[in-house]
Amino acid sequence: MFARMITMKITSKDIILDTDERIRMQSEPVQLPLSNEDRELLQAMLDYVRNSQNDEIAKAEDLQPAVGIAAVQVGVLKQMIAVVIPYEDGVDEVALVNPKIISESVQNAYLDNGEGCLSVKGEHPGHVFRHARIKVRGYDLIQDKNVTISAEGYFAICLQHEIDHLSGTLFYDHIDANNPWKSDDEAEVI
Ligand code: NI
């Protein structure tokens, strides 16, 4: 008799790239309460992001470091994302089902060095302008309830990046091809 492996595990080999046509597809809403299958997948996504930030585990398990992941990136077209932003004194982390941005600031924000993505190997330098502050509604697996999250700064940017994946949008779609490093005096630079 062999012990049956029941825990789903995502590694870098499971991540699809932007050369895969599925990355451009629309993800479907997920039925709640979560099925066991959906719950396992979202938990595995959250575990991937958490573990990828631990140097030892990341090396041992072949996890490319990340702060977020969307289900489409493992080839599953369902509206689920996980984001983990560690700080010295805590963490912003969510595992969201059917996340919707319900409000957004007029002010923009961008990462000074541009964005990256597990599904993008090519170089796409440039500023990605996003909303500096957003409110996101969805079901959070970590808290096991519907939540409304107010996010700003890096957390807000990561949430927008992952939610973009659910409609097949990649970060470099937002880069101005004619002036990739253009700035915005009103924007928050992160
Ligand atoms: Ni991405």
Side-chain angles (χ1 to χ4, degrees):
M1 289 288 287
F2 295 95
R4 187 163 159 261
M5 185 88 148
I6 53 162
T7 309
M8 184 189 294
K9 203 143 209 157
I10 295 169
T11 72
S12 291
K13 288 188 286 296
D14 302 308
I15 312 266
I16 66 168
L17 300 180
D18 56 353
T19 45
D20 186 311
E21 62 186 11
R22 287 171 293 177
I23 206 76
R24 290 301 189 176
M25 292 180 181
Q26 177 73 41
S27 292
E28 298 296 325
V30 177
Q31 198 174 341
L32 290 165
L34 285 179
S35 66
N36 287 337
E37 186 190 355
D38 290 341
R39 179 180 299 270
E40 264 196 46
L41 172 60
L42 184 52
Q43 184 65 52
M45 289 163 53
L46 178 62
D47 291 342
Y48 176 96
V49 180
R50 283 174 173 165
N51 290 335
S52 81
Q53 297 173 9
N54 177 310
D55 292 343
E56 272 175 39
I57 302 177
K59 198 162 177 226
E61 299 187 4
D62 180 27
L63 311 179
Q64 201 189 326
V67 287
I69 193 171
V72 60
Q73 293 183 274
V74 291
V76 178
L77 293 166
K78 291 182 175 177
Q79 293 179 10
M80 301 199 292
I81 63 169
V83 172
V84 179
I85 316 286
Y87 307 99
E88 270 181 27
D89 57 348
V91 63
D92 273 324
E93 58 175 6
V94 289
L96 293 176
V97 178
N98 304 330
K100 291 259 173 344
I101 296 175
I102 56 167
S103 73
E104 51 199 26
S105 64
V106 173
Q107 190 196 14
N108 284 327
Y110 61 92
L111 303 184
D112 208 15
N113 295 320
E115 296 187 13
C117 178
L118 288 173
S119 296
V120 178
K121 295 275 186 241
E123 290 289 313
H124 296 276
H127 288 151
V128 177
F129 292 92
R130 300 192 183 275
H131 302 287
R133 294 170 298 284
I134 55 169
K135 281 200 171 83
V136 178
R137 193 171 280 168
Y139 168 82
D140 180 28
L141 179 65
I142 299 170
Q143 297 185 60
D144 187 26
K145 64 178 185 185
N146 291 309
V147 294
T148 302
I149 298 152
S150 297
E152 58 179 28
Y154 191 57
F155 187 35
I157 287 192
C158 295
L159 283 168
Q160 289 169 86
H161 176 118
E162 299 311 329
I163 290 170
D164 262 359
H165 273 300
L166 306 181
S167 56
T169 301
L170 295 171
F171 74 86
Y172 53 76
D173 300 343
H174 297 291
I175 297 175
D176 184 339
N178 296 315
N179 187 7
W181 294 109
K182 75 179 175 188
S183 56
D184 171 350
D185 290 341
E186 308 287 308
E188 182 187 349
V189 184
I190 298 168

